[in-house]
Amino acid sequence: MDNVIVELKDICVDFDGQRVVNKLNLTIHDNEFVTLLGPSGCGKTTTLRVIGGFVSPDEGDVFFEGKRINDVPPHKRMVNTVFQRYALFPHLNVYDNVAFGLKVQKLDKREIKSRVSEMLELVGLKGFEQRGIGQLSGGQQQRVAIARALVNRPKVLLLDEPLGALDLKLRKDMQIELKRIQQSTGITFIYVTHDQEEALTMSDTVVVMRDGVIQQVGTPQDIYNEPQNAFVADFIGESNILEGMMYKDFLVQFAGADFECVDKGFGRMERVQVVIRPEDIKIVPQIQGQLTGVIESVIFKGVHYEMVADGCGYKWLIHSTTAAEVGSVIGMRLDPEDIHIMKREEDAK
Amino acid sequence: MKAKSPAYPYLAWMIIFIVAPLLIVAYFAFTDKTGAFTLANISQAGQFSPVLLKSVYLAAIATVICLIIAYPLAYILSRTKVRTQRMLVMLVMLPMWMNFLLRTYAWMTILENNGILNRFFGLFGLGPFEMINTQGAVVLGMVYNYLPFMILPLYSIMEKIDGSVIEAAQDLGCSSMGVMRKVVLPLSVPGITSGITMVFVPAVSTFIISKMLGGGGNLLIGDIIDLQFLGLDYNPHLGSAISLVLMVLILLCMSIFNQFDNEEAVLL
Amino acid sequence: MKKLSKLYLGIVFFFLYAPILVLIVFSFNQSKSRSVWTGFTLDWYVKLFHNEVILNSLWTTLSIALIAGVVSTILGTAAAVGISSMRRGPRRLVINTTYLPIMNPEILTGVSLMLLFSFLAIPRGYLTLVIAHITFCVPYVILSVLPKLRQMDRFVYEAALDLGCSPRKAFFKAVVPQIMPGIMTGFLMALTYSIDDFVISYFVSGSSAQTLPITIYSMTRRRVSPEINALSTILFLAVLTVLLLINVKDAKIWKERRKKEAARL
C-alpha cells in the first residue's frame, strides 16, 4: 500500500481553448482503490484518459512506477481500461474478446486458454465462451469488459463509469463484485463515477473534483464527515449548509444560536460555513430544543422519513426514523461532533 | 382496409415494367426472327467471350484500385472532427452529381494526344505519349467515375465503428497497424462488399467509358450489347442473349463473392 | 501521421476535382482548343443560351424528372405502406423484385424496357422516357420509406383511430407525418437519378424527345465547341449552390439543437 504506482504532477489539459483539468496533482499507491468523483464536466474522465494515454496533457507529467510516461502510447502502457459503454468488439465472441490482449502479446495458446477461463470464472461467466456480444445482457457485457481488461494482469485498472448503464439493483451487486475482484487480485483500481454512494461504498480513497480542480482527497469517512468545503459537503450526500461565525475555538454561532463544536484553528470572529447532515438533527420536544421549527413536509423514504422544518431563518432538512406531524412545532438538537465547520468557499478559493 | 392493399398499383407496375421486360429479354434470347426456339443466339454469344473476359478483367482492376484508394481515405474521413467530416463527405459526393458523361469528357480533353497532359510533358521535351484509346485510359475512367461509390459505403460503415472500440484495442496492446488488422478491417467487411458490388457492376457493364476513352479498339461487353440494339449490327436476339449471359455472370460473381465474404467474416 | 493523412486527402481530392477544374477553365477560353489557353471570353455561354437543342432537352429533362419524381413518390409510398403490412413470404418476394432494377446493370434495364416498348408497339419518345424513369425511381422511394415505416410508432396510428379518425384520415394525420422524412428523401433521390440518368434514357428515347444527358452525349461524340464546357460549369455551380444551401441549413439546425441542449443543461 505504500509504493507509489501512479503520480500526476501539475497536469493541465485544454480542449478547444477550455481548461478541463487544471494543475492537478495526485499520488496513487499500489493496491489502492481510488475513485475520482464529481459532476459531469469536472475533468474526472479526462484525468483517467491521461493515465490511460488517450489524452496527452498540455502541461505537467505523468509518472508510472517513477518513470515519466507522457510520450508512451496507450498500447505500451501497463494499464488497462474498462470503457464507459464497454467498447466490446462486436465481431468477436466472449472468448475472443477476453483473449484479445493475450493474442496481441502472442502468448502460448494453452496459456491464453487457461487464463481466459480462469478470468471468466472470476467474473461468473463460465460457459458463455462462444456467445456473441449481442446475446449478452448489460450486466454480462460489463463482466466481459472487466475480464478483458483484467486478463492482461495490468498493474493498474482504469474504470470509466463502468456501472453507469446498469439498473439500480444490478449496480449494487456489481459494486460488491468489483470490490471483491479488486481485493482478490490486488490490482490498483482507478475508478471514475458521478455517483457519490458508489464512491463511498467501494473506495479506499475518494478524490472529489470540480471544474478540473481537486476539491478534497481522503477516505470515504473523511470526505463524508469532514468535508472541506460546501461543494464537497453538498455533493457527498444531502446536507444543511449555513453561514456562521466562529467566536473562538470550539464555539460557533449560526441560525441565531451558539453551539459547542469540536473544531478549532479558525480566526476569532471568522465567518465560516457550517454543515449539518440531515440524519444528525435530533427531533425533541420544543422546550428541549436548541432550535425550533415548524414541520412543512414529511415524505416516507423507506428507511427513514425525510422532513423539512422551517425555523430560525432556515429550512432544515431532517432524516429521522420517526415522523413528526405536518404543522407541528418541534425542537432540534445538535451534538458538538455533528457540527462541521468549513472555511467559506470564496475565502477558500 | 384489408381487401385493397395500397401496394396493388405498384405491384401491377412492377409486373409490367420490371418482371415482364426481363422475361422478354429471355424470350428474345432463345428465339430467332421467326419466333422459333433456338440456342443459336447463346452459342453465338460465346464468340464474344474474349470481350466478356476483358470486361471482367478491366472492371476487376478498376475495382481493386478503387478499394486501395478509398479504404485509407474512408478511414481518415471517419476519424476527423464531425464538422470537417460533413464537409469532406460533401466534397466526395459533389463530383457524382455532375453527369458522368461530362466527367468522362473532361478526361478525354486531358488525355488526348494534343491534350493538356501531353502538352505539359512537352514542356520537358517528353512525349507525346499515347494515353487516350488505351486500356489504361478505360480503367482510369472507371476508377474516376466510380471511386465515390467505393468511398461512401466504406465511410458510412467505418463512421459507425465506436471510437472507444479502437481505444480498447490500443489499450489491450495493439499498435496502429494491429488496430487496423484486428478491429477496423473485420468490422468494415460489409462496407467493402457493398463498395465492390457498387463499383464492379457498373464498371463491367459500361459502354460509354470504353467508347469515349478506349476508342474503337477497346470495346467492352456493354458496347457489343449496344451495337446489337442501337448500332449497325442490329440483332436484338443476339443482344438479348449476351445481356442474359452478362446478367447470369454478374449474379454468379456476386453469389460466389458473398459466400467468400461470409466465410471470411466468420474466420476473422 | 496527421500530416500524412492530410496529404493523402489532398491528393485524392485533387484527382477528383482536377478534371472538373479543367472543364471550367476552358469554358472561358477564346479558341476552340481544349488544351491551349488563348484568352478570356464568355462567348460560349452566350452561344449556349441560344442553342435550341440544349434548351429543349434541358426542359425535357426537368419536366420528366418532376413527373417521374411525383408519380414514383406516390406510387412508392403507397407500395411501401402495403408491403410493410404484407406477410413475410410475399413481402420478401416483392422487395427482392424491387431490388432488381437497382442491382441489375443499367444497360440491362434499358435494353429490357426497349424490347418491351417495341413489343407493345409504343413509339419511343417522351412517354417511354417517363415510364422508364418512373420504373427506375420507384425502388429508391420504396427503399427509403420502408425503414421509416419500420421505425414508426404503430400506436400513434391506433391512437388516432381511438380519437375518432377514420382509417384514411388516421393514415394522413398520424402515419404520413412520421414517415415524411423518408418520403422526402425518396422524392429527392428520384429527382436526382432522373436528371442524371443517361444509360436507360439512351435506350428508350427516340428522336422526338431527348434529355440533357443524351444531348451531352451527342455533343461529346462530335467533339465540338466548348459550349459543353460552359454547360458543365453551369451545372457544377448549380449543384454546388444546392449542396451549400442544404449544408448551411443543416448547420443552422445543428446549432439550434446545440443551443437548446445547452439551455436545458
Side-chain angles (χ1 to χ4, degrees):
Chain A
M1 188 90 182
D2 321 317
N3 305 334
V4 173
I5 186 150
V6 174
E7 196 173 4
L8 301 176
K9 270 200 178 147
D10 295 325
I11 297 288
C12 295
V13 181
D14 294 339
F15 282 149
D16 293 329
Q18 228 178 347
R19 184 139 285 197
V20 280
V21 173
N22 196 3
K23 292 253 174 245
L24 186 129
N25 286 288
L26 187 63
T27 307
I28 293 164
H29 299 269
D30 213 359
N31 220 348
E32 198 177 1
F33 195 126
V34 181
T35 300
L36 305 179
L37 174 68
S40 60
C42 73
K44 55 192 191 302
T45 295
T46 308
T47 307
L48 195 76
R49 289 166 64 81
V50 166
I51 301 172
F54 299 112
V55 171
S56 47
D58 294 295
E59 286 170 38
D61 296 310
V62 188
F63 294 94
F64 190 85
E65 293 184 319
K67 279 193 283 288
R68 185 175 175 278
I69 56 162
N70 283 37
D71 305 317
V72 179
H75 66 274
K76 291 191 178 143
R77 296 196 182 191
M78 299 280 283
V79 299
N80 284 116
T81 309
V82 177
F83 288 84
Q84 204 159 30
R85 294 212 156 260
Y86 320 142
L88 298 176
F89 301 117
H91 57 297
L92 302 177
N93 62 21
V94 170
Y95 180 90
D96 289 325
N97 258 285
V98 178
F100 191 93
L102 302 178
K103 281 185 183 165
V104 170
Q105 291 172 41
K106 298 208 162 63
L107 292 189
D108 174 56
K109 265 213 169 119
R110 264 191 318 203
E111 168 153 19
I112 293 180
K113 199 163 180 202
S114 78
R115 271 169 74 172
V116 170
S117 52
E118 180 194 343
M119 198 46 68
L120 285 176
E121 175 126 38
L122 181 76
V123 298
L125 280 179
K126 218 170 167 59
F128 284 72
E129 286 84 352
Q130 301 307 319
R131 290 276 185 99
I133 295 308
Q135 298 166 273
L136 300 181
S137 71
Q140 289 166 337
Q141 292 189 12
Q142 175 59 61
R143 286 158 202 261
V144 176
I146 292 166
R148 184 181 69 175
L150 276 179
V151 78
N152 306 291
R153 299 187 182 150
K155 297 214 168 134
V156 175
L157 186 70
L158 309 176
L159 304 101
D160 187 5
E161 307 225 10
L163 308 182
L166 304 181
D167 63 54
L168 187 67
K169 170 89 176 65
L170 207 53
R171 205 153 69 211
K172 299 260 180 208
D173 294 346
M174 284 304 293
Q175 285 174 11
I176 298 165
E177 190 93 330
L178 276 176
K179 186 71 193 168
R180 177 182 67 80
I181 291 171
Q182 195 257 335
Q183 279 164 348
S184 68
T185 55
I187 292 172
T188 305
F189 275 33
I190 306 180
Y191 191 100
V192 161
T193 183
H194 62 264
D195 182 338
Q196 42 95 10
E197 200 187 317
E198 205 165 276
L200 297 182
T201 319
M202 296 195 285
S203 324
D204 299 317
T205 306
V206 178
V207 179
V208 185
M209 291 180 69
R210 176 201 196 181
D211 296 337
V213 177
I214 292 181
Q215 303 291 310
Q216 187 170 1
V217 181
T219 64
Q221 291 81 359
D222 283 347
I223 299 276
Y224 190 84
N225 293 329
E226 299 295 335
Q228 262 166 24
N229 59 37
F231 173 79
V232 177
D234 199 38
F235 196 76
I236 308 287
E238 291 168 299
S239 46
N240 299 286
I241 299 173
L242 297 98
E243 299 295 317
M245 191 194 289
M246 208 64 191
Y247 279 133
K248 53 179 189 183
D249 287 352
F250 311 119
L251 188 61
V252 63
Q253 184 228 32
F254 59 89
D258 297 346
F259 294 88
E260 273 181 54
C261 63
V262 292
D263 296 81
K264 57 172 184 173
F266 290 89
R268 273 177 84 79
M269 306 304 266
E270 185 177 341
R271 291 163 63 74
V272 292
Q273 281 183 313
V274 181
V275 173
I276 295 152
R277 296 288 177 191
E279 67 272 20
D280 289 337
I281 300 176
K282 292 168 197 69
I283 297 178
V284 294
Q286 194 188 345
I287 24 165
Q288 293 171 28
Q290 295 160 300
L291 299 159
T292 57
V294 181
I295 297 288
E296 275 196 340
S297 67
V298 179
I299 300 166
F300 181 53
K301 285 278 192 176
V303 210
H304 60 256
Y305 292 90
E306 181 178 298
M307 289 171 280
V308 175
D310 189 1
C312 308
Y314 189 76
K315 294 204 190 261
W316 303 85
L317 185 70
I318 307 171
H319 291 171
S320 168
T321 47
T322 50
E325 239 172 275
V326 175
S328 63
V329 182
I330 54 157
M332 294 177 274
R333 282 203 72 84
L334 298 167
D335 291 336
E337 57 271 23
D338 295 334
I339 296 168
H340 310 294
I341 314 288
M342 306 172 308
K343 284 204 179 289
R344 277 171 57 104
E345 213 173 319
E346 304 85 85
D347 305 345
K349 270 186 180 174
Chain B
M1 258 306 260
K2 273 272 152 71
K4 267 202 267 168
S5 167
Y8 284 164
Y10 168 69
L11 290 183
W13 189 282
M14 185 182 94
I15 289 166
I16 300 173
F17 295 111
I18 296 179
V19 180
L22 290 174
L23 292 179
I24 295 175
V25 170
Y27 170 79
F28 266 73
F30 289 105
T31 52
D32 61 17
K33 277 182 193 126
T34 61
F37 176 81
T38 177
L39 285 174
N41 300 316
I42 300 288
S43 64
Q44 213 183 332
Q47 289 174 5
F48 295 103
S49 51
V51 182
L52 188 63
L53 280 180
K54 189 168 159 194
S55 306
V56 171
Y57 173 67
L58 294 185
I61 292 179
T63 309
V64 170
I65 295 176
C66 278
L67 184 61
I68 292 171
I69 297 178
Y71 200 85
L73 188 85
Y75 185 71
I76 295 170
L77 274 185
S78 71
R79 298 298 129 194
T80 49
K81 271 191 256 164
V82 178
R83 226 181 299 165
T84 336
Q85 232 178 74
R86 283 153 43 85
M87 206 192 72
L88 291 176
V89 171
M90 209 63 112
L91 277 179
V92 171
M93 280 178 7
L94 186 55
M96 267 166 64
W97 284 51
M98 245 178 112
N99 197 282
F100 82 104
L101 291 163
L102 293 174
R103 284 180 277 149
T104 312
Y105 172 76
W107 278 107
M108 276 169 77
T109 69
I110 293 172
L111 298 179
E112 272 171 335
N113 289 342
N114 54 355
I116 292 170
L117 265 182
N118 267 329
R119 287 194 188 263
F120 177 73
F121 290 137
L123 293 179
F124 304 98
L126 298 165
F129 296 101
E130 177 85 19
M131 286 181 290
I132 199 151
N133 300 346
T134 59
Q135 290 193 0
V138 176
V139 171
L140 176 73
M142 289 173 175
V143 170
Y144 182 71
N145 273 304
Y146 304 129
L147 182 60
F149 290 140
M150 185 65 91
I151 297 174
L152 292 176
L154 281 175
Y155 160 76
S156 67
I157 202 107
M158 285 186 190
E159 179 217 27
K160 286 197 198 90
I161 299 177
D162 193 344
S164 66
V165 171
I166 290 169
E167 282 184 358
Q170 292 174 337
D171 185 78
L172 295 167
C174 278
S175 60
S176 18
M177 273 316 284
V179 172
M180 256 320 193
R181 221 184 54 234
K182 297 197 148 202
V183 179
V184 179
L185 192 63
L187 284 177
S188 58
V189 166
I192 297 176
T193 335
S194 65
I196 289 179
T197 316
M198 285 174 75
V199 172
F200 182 76
V201 172
V204 78
S205 62
T206 186
F207 64 101
I208 296 299
I209 295 174
S210 45
K211 222 185 239 180
M212 288 170 77
L213 296 175
N218 287 296
L219 290 186
L220 298 184
I221 200 69
D223 298 291
I224 305 291
I225 295 175
D226 176 31
L227 283 176
Q228 309 306 319
F229 285 97
L230 290 173
L232 298 172
D233 301 355
Y234 185 74
N235 182 353
H237 297 277
L238 178 58
S240 297
I242 303 171
S243 306
L244 207 62
V245 170
L246 179 64
M247 191 166 110
V248 169
L249 181 97
I250 287 176
L251 287 178
L252 215 66
C253 279
M254 288 305 131
S255 62
I256 291 172
F257 175 66
N258 279 335
Q259 201 141 10
F260 164 72
D261 162 51
N262 287 343
E263 270 169 29
E264 191 177 40
V266 171
L267 277 179
L268 283 166
Chain C
M1 195 59 201
K2 270 271 150 78
K3 269 190 196 149
L4 210 66
S5 28
K6 271 197 184 138
L7 181 72
Y8 189 74
L9 279 177
I11 291 173
V12 175
F13 279 117
F14 177 77
F15 174 64
L16 283 175
Y17 282 91
I20 296 173
L21 199 71
V22 168
L23 279 184
I24 293 176
V25 167
F26 280 91
S27 75
F28 300 108
N29 193 11
Q30 254 171 14
S31 82
K32 271 196 170 189
S33 164
R34 293 183 292 192
S35 53
V36 185
W37 181 259
T38 52
F40 181 85
T41 180
L42 287 173
D43 281 359
W44 306 113
Y45 289 85
V46 177
K47 277 200 178 150
L48 179 71
F49 283 108
H50 289 100
N51 188 329
E52 284 290 318
V53 181
I54 288 179
L55 293 179
N56 277 338
S57 58
L58 179 65
W59 169 244
T60 311
T61 303
L62 293 179
S63 64
I64 287 179
L66 204 63
I67 297 172
V70 171
V71 174
S72 59
T73 303
I74 296 171
L75 203 61
T77 307
V81 172
I83 290 169
S84 69
S85 60
M86 278 178 180
R87 264 174 296 123
R88 204 181 145 78
R91 189 176 65 213
R92 290 196 66 159
L93 183 69
V94 173
I95 289 181
N96 282 338
T97 316
T98 302
Y99 263 115
L100 271 178
I102 295 180
M103 291 303 295
N104 256 341
E106 285 178 312
I107 191 171
L108 262 176
T109 311
V111 163
S112 68
L113 281 169
M114 179 187 170
L115 284 178
L116 177 82
F117 293 138
S118 67
F119 189 79
L120 297 175
I122 305 174
R124 280 181 281 148
Y126 196 85
L127 179 68
T128 53
L129 276 172
V130 170
I131 292 176
H133 279 229
I134 293 173
T135 306
F136 72 74
C137 285
V138 180
Y140 293 104
V141 177
I142 295 178
L143 293 178
S144 52
V145 174
L146 269 182
K148 294 285 163 207
L149 280 167
R150 220 170 296 137
Q151 293 162 15
M152 188 187 72
D153 182 358
R154 277 175 184 280
F155 292 117
V156 175
Y157 175 69
E158 289 179 11
L161 290 178
D162 183 74
L163 294 169
C165 284
S166 65
R168 197 189 180 75
K169 205 167 176 190
F171 174 73
F172 282 106
K173 293 236 162 197
V175 177
V176 170
Q178 288 194 73
I179 58 174
M180 205 56 201
I183 298 176
M184 280 317 288
T185 313
F187 177 67
L188 289 178
M189 279 174 88
L191 277 188
T192 318
Y193 279 98
S194 172
I195 292 174
D196 200 47
D197 175 70
F198 166 73
V199 176
I200 297 169
S201 306
Y202 172 74
F203 284 101
V204 299
S205 70
S207 49
S208 62
Q210 295 211 324
T211 61
L212 192 57
I214 294 174
T215 308
I216 292 173
Y217 176 65
S218 52
M219 285 171 85
T220 61
R221 294 258 82 190
R222 277 183 273 116
R223 304 195 162 208
V224 274
S225 68
E227 272 170 69
I228 192 169
N229 297 51
L231 184 64
S232 314
T233 307
I234 291 175
L235 289 179
F236 182 76
L237 290 179
V239 169
L240 189 66
T241 320
V242 171
L243 286 185
L244 281 180
L245 282 179
I246 294 173
N247 209 13
V248 167
K249 203 178 139 216
D250 274 13
K252 254 191 201 154
I253 293 171
W254 267 83
K255 228 186 209 168
E256 264 161 39
R257 202 180 293 166
R258 225 177 307 147
K259 247 189 224 160
K260 263 185 208 161
E261 265 163 31
R264 228 190 2 226
L265 286 172

